Amino acid sequence: MGLKPWQKALFPLRSVEDVVRLFMAELQQEQPDLVLLSLVLGFVEHFLAVNRVIPTNVPGISFEPRPGPEPDSLTYFPVAELSIVAALYARFTAQIRGAVDLSLYPRPEGFSSRELVKKVSDVIWNSLSRSYFKDRAHIQSLFSFITGTKLDSSGVAFAVVGACQVLGLPDVHLALSEDHAWVVFGRDGEQTAEVTWHGKGNEDRRGQTVNAGVAERSWLYLKGSYLRCDRHMEVAFMVCAINPSIDLHTDSLELLQLQQRLLWVLYDMGHLERYPMALGNLADLEELEPTPGRPDPLSIYHKGISSARKYYNNEHIYPYMYLAGYHCRNKNVKEALEAWADTATVIQDYNYCREDEEIYKEFFDVANDVVPNLLKEVANLSEPLEEKGAGERGEGSPVQAGGSALQDPECFAHLLRFYDGICKWEEGSPTPVLHVGWATFLVQSLGRFDGQVRQKVTIVAREAEANEDDEQGSEDPREGRRRGPRRESKPEEPPLPKKACERRRPSSGQRPDKPPAAEKEEGGPSAPGIPPGPPPEGPVLTFQSEKMKGMKELLVAAKINSSAIKLQLTAQSQVQMKKQKVSAPRDYTLAFLKRPRKSL
């Protein structure tokens, strides 16, 4: 079974418009042909980004000249002839069907078995070259698999899904976290199976479930809030996987245009609604080259965040990273710090494991490179304005309008919330996160804010005992009534109304997806007979992590005590582990947790 007549009629593909037309035709089908589309994208990417030399000795390969972006310039688009694509298609389908005998694998109720999925992954795995650099660019498509027997990690998972489609297994679909891929199968995709490797190691866990990773609360598996793709989302995945880079400094304009056009086609058909990272990718492309009549990049970034909140319990990190990167590039310091703080507020509910090194590097770069340089740039820009007299400043100058971001206590509160989330992420994790390198740049970033600005932030340390009381209350209901406050107040000094402070800005230390109304209910009314204190002058921040609670006074002191802050931040976390339910037996040994950390 090869290409259908209507598919053949769309060839040859001589331009970006022709490729878009093919994708639109496939996306209108209930089952888009993943193999065909991946071969076409791989072919185009190869000759636009990998081998840009026009071959003269290869029969059947030709290039279509097109008008370039500059006057009197030409660009060349590789022509995808039907004969070439059909031959590659036939080779892949023959290889899969010849290696998998479906009669040996019963399919109860029409659903695939774990043994069958494992067999398909074995076919792909054993067809790869034995040694090659698996992180190299442009090896994510089936074109790379057929012509070079090379695939990257996510490319292997996609190839398994494509092979299952060739075999007529409609229940096998791609599952995606933000840094890993596997497959789901069975009724309603209730079963999972690893089919590829992750990271630098090649630990073979193929055929096993991802339940252990989900139970460990590692970011790699998103605590179960991962994408369960349908066929159209799998097409979106291959479009997002297009790599337009020719080298470290140059991108292919044609590939950028193709990716942007295809993402808009998927967007208009509603196939990006549940794909936050694809929306972030589209927003980045729109920032580079806006499409007339389309939403602005900022609204698309927020749509990606809304998708993560609505469909994935706000467990995704990169939608906020995309937004923060946008604001950072546009020098919106306050908005960037707020987005990074929201990112850390999401990560604080995970446990850091060795295979989470990709997101660790993201946070490390933000905390120790991007934020310090951004604040340094703001400080350098504000110095000339401060030297001018008040009469020399324009009405719209940032200093006269309230000062720069370094004079805004909200910005300082966002910075603290960012570090609070990272410290909370470290608590209870099998792998430490913070070291002296983090502390050095934390002190540097804190020092950018004047003492008067820092003192306008009111810090509240959420008492962990309240949760412990709730957990122990079921054991002895009388114990909760007998237990008094841990710190006694003198009769002549009434206790401070902490709850009133917490209700001032409910969102300061909470998850960014938590509605303010719910947090007000948590705070509850102030105790009768105690008059509410005066409202704080600036923002109120509720710390979640033990390390930041211990630095509460140091952070708002008039003078930064760098030695004390470094000592507190790098101290080993002495935090009582939360009571957790006993998880099911692990499906595999986590030997990779004992690998030494990469040198920074």
Side-chain angles (χ1 to χ4, degrees):
M1 180 180 176
L3 297 176
K4 300 178 178 64
W6 67 267
Q7 292 173 319
K8 296 179 180 179
L10 296 171
F11 287 86
L13 308 177
R14 299 181 177 275
S15 63
V16 169
E17 290 75 16
D18 290 346
V19 177
V20 172
R21 192 178 302 113
L22 171 65
F23 270 76
M24 292 180 66
E26 287 289 346
L27 288 169
Q28 291 172 359
Q29 310 298 315
E30 183 179 355
Q31 291 283 325
D33 195 329
L34 301 180
V35 176
L36 173 61
L37 297 181
S38 182
L39 288 171
V40 168
L41 285 185
F43 174 87
V44 173
E45 182 175 325
H46 177 79
F47 287 104
L48 287 178
V50 182
N51 183 12
R52 292 177 59 85
V53 179
I54 300 178
T56 58
N57 58 346
V58 180
I61 301 296
S62 61
F63 283 75
E64 183 80 8
R66 313 285 298 179
E70 302 294 334
D72 301 328
S73 65
L74 291 177
T75 61
Y76 293 88
F77 191 86
V79 179
E81 298 285 355
L82 175 61
S83 59
I84 298 175
V85 176
L88 296 172
Y89 189 93
R91 182 175 174 180
F92 179 81
T93 55
Q95 179 178 348
I96 298 302
R97 289 177 178 145
V100 181
D101 185 357
L102 292 177
S103 64
L104 301 178
Y105 302 93
R107 299 177 60 208
E109 302 181 6
F111 297 110
S112 304
S113 64
R114 185 172 302 277
E115 292 74 18
L116 176 55
V117 173
K118 175 66 162 56
K119 174 61 179 178
V120 176
S121 70
D122 286 343
V123 173
I124 301 296
W125 187 280
N126 295 329
S127 301
L128 298 174
S129 298
R130 291 301 91 190
S131 61
Y132 63 95
F133 184 57
K134 296 178 175 57
D135 284 339
R136 62 178 291 188
H138 312 296
I139 58 171
Q140 77 280 7
S141 69
L142 293 181
F143 180 86
S144 172
F145 176 71
I146 293 298
T147 61
T149 63
K150 296 180 179 65
L151 284 172
D152 58 19
S153 175
S154 60
V156 171
F158 179 84
V160 170
V161 174
C164 289
Q165 186 185 36
V166 168
L167 294 170
L169 308 177
D171 61 310
V172 181
H173 287 284
L174 191 64
L176 298 171
S177 70
E178 295 185 298
D179 192 42
H180 191 34
W182 57 97
V183 299
V184 293
F185 60 98
R187 188 186 302 276
D188 299 325
E190 59 188 13
Q191 299 191 61
T192 62
E194 295 272 17
V195 293
T196 185
W197 69 89
H198 174 264
K200 303 298 181 183
N202 286 332
E203 293 87 358
D204 186 0
R205 302 196 293 266
R206 289 175 298 118
Q208 301 174 10
T209 72
V210 302
N211 295 341
V214 173
E216 288 171 350
R217 303 173 65 85
S218 69
W219 166 76
L220 189 67
Y221 295 98
L222 295 175
K223 294 188 292 186
S225 298
Y226 49 82
L227 278 68
R228 294 162 173 83
C229 298
D230 55 19
R231 287 286 180 258
H232 299 91
M233 291 177 67
E234 287 156 4
V235 174
F237 166 77
M238 77 169 79
V239 172
C240 290
I242 294 175
N243 188 341
S245 61
I246 299 172
D247 53 40
L248 293 177
H249 309 288
T250 312
D251 288 339
S252 166
L253 180 62
E254 297 86 356
L255 283 177
L256 288 172
Q257 293 174 344
L258 176 60
Q259 187 178 43
Q260 189 172 8
R261 291 278 300 277
L262 292 177
L263 285 174
W264 276 124
V265 170
L266 291 157
Y267 179 94
D268 292 337
M269 292 185 172
H271 301 314
L272 302 187
E273 177 70 21
R274 294 173 176 264
Y275 204 149
M277 287 190 71
L279 290 168
N281 195 350
L282 176 58
D284 279 352
L285 292 169
E286 282 296 304
E287 185 186 3
L288 288 174
E289 188 64 37
T291 304
R294 290 294 190 176
D296 62 279
L298 189 58
S299 64
I300 304 174
Y301 287 123
H302 283 288
K303 187 175 180 64
I305 292 174
S306 299
S307 175
R309 291 176 177 177
K310 181 177 181 180
Y311 299 109
Y312 304 107
N313 197 30
N314 199 39
E315 304 287 2
H316 290 200
I317 301 296
Y318 277 107
Y320 295 102
M321 283 288 190
Y322 275 118
L323 178 63
Y326 170 81
H327 285 307
C328 181
R329 290 189 295 272
N330 289 276
K331 308 305 178 187
N332 304 326
V333 180
K334 182 175 181 179
E335 291 79 3
L337 289 173
E338 182 177 11
W340 280 317
D342 290 342
T343 305
T345 304
V346 175
I347 200 66
Q348 72 182 12
D349 291 331
Y350 286 97
N351 288 334
Y352 175 53
C353 300
R354 288 291 185 187
E355 283 202 327
D356 294 341
E357 64 177 11
E358 196 65 32
I359 200 64
Y360 172 88
K361 288 187 290 186
E362 292 278 4
F363 279 106
F364 184 86
D365 290 342
V366 169
N368 305 316
D369 182 17
V370 182
V371 169
N373 286 325
L374 183 62
L375 297 181
K376 179 181 179 181
E377 185 176 349
V378 173
N380 292 337
L381 289 174
S382 61
E383 285 177 1
L385 293 174
E386 292 175 358
E387 294 175 358
K388 294 181 179 181
E392 299 179 19
R393 299 172 188 156
E395 293 183 359
S397 69
V399 174
Q400 187 166 348
S404 69
L406 300 181
Q407 303 301 319
D408 189 348
E410 290 277 355
C411 292
F412 182 64
H414 294 322
L415 178 67
L416 295 184
R417 186 157 63 92
F418 172 73
Y419 277 96
D420 182 50
I422 295 175
C423 291
K424 185 66 175 177
W425 180 32
E426 184 182 51
E427 292 179 8
S429 298
T431 305
V433 175
L434 301 163
H435 53 74
V436 69
W438 291 79
T440 300
F441 286 101
L442 169 60
V443 171
Q444 179 180 324
S445 298
L446 294 176
R448 296 294 181 186
F449 294 88
D450 187 73
Q452 295 180 349
V453 177
R454 289 185 281 106
Q455 289 174 347
K456 291 180 181 179
V457 178
T458 303
I459 298 177
V460 179
R462 190 187 68 175
E463 296 297 335
E465 290 81 6
N467 294 334
E468 296 176 4
D469 294 349
D470 294 339
E471 294 176 1
Q472 298 175 3
S474 58
E475 300 174 3
D476 188 356
R478 296 170 297 176
E479 182 67 21
R481 294 195 299 268
R482 288 200 304 266
R483 184 181 292 118
R486 293 184 178 272
R487 182 175 62 86
E488 297 182 358
S489 303
K490 297 181 180 180
E492 65 274 13
E493 295 181 44
L496 295 176
K498 282 189 177 181
K499 296 299 181 180
C501 295
E502 292 177 358
R503 292 198 304 274
R504 168 70 175 172
R505 286 183 54 86
S507 61
S508 296
Q510 303 296 333
R511 289 284 296 263
D513 63 330
K514 200 167 186 179
E519 296 176 22
K520 288 184 179 180
E521 292 177 3
E522 288 183 5
S526 58
I530 301 179
E537 180 182 356
V540 177
L541 181 64
T542 304
F543 277 159
Q544 311 292 318
S545 67
E546 297 299 320
K547 284 187 176 181
M548 295 298 282
K549 290 176 186 177
M551 291 189 290
K552 186 171 62 172
E553 288 78 12
L554 296 173
L555 297 171
V556 296
K559 185 178 180 181
I560 295 291
N561 188 337
S562 59
S563 299
I565 291 176
K566 290 180 180 180
L567 184 63
Q568 175 70 16
L569 191 70
T570 57
Q572 183 178 359
S573 297
Q574 302 293 335
V575 182
Q576 183 178 359
M577 296 291 291
K578 296 180 181 179
K579 297 180 180 179
Q580 297 180 351
K581 296 181 180 179
V582 179
S583 59
R586 298 188 179 188
D587 298 292
Y588 55 85
T589 57
L590 298 179
F592 57 82
L593 292 178
K594 299 180 180 179
R595 293 205 305 268
R597 182 191 295 174
K598 290 173 56 183
S599 60
L600 298 173

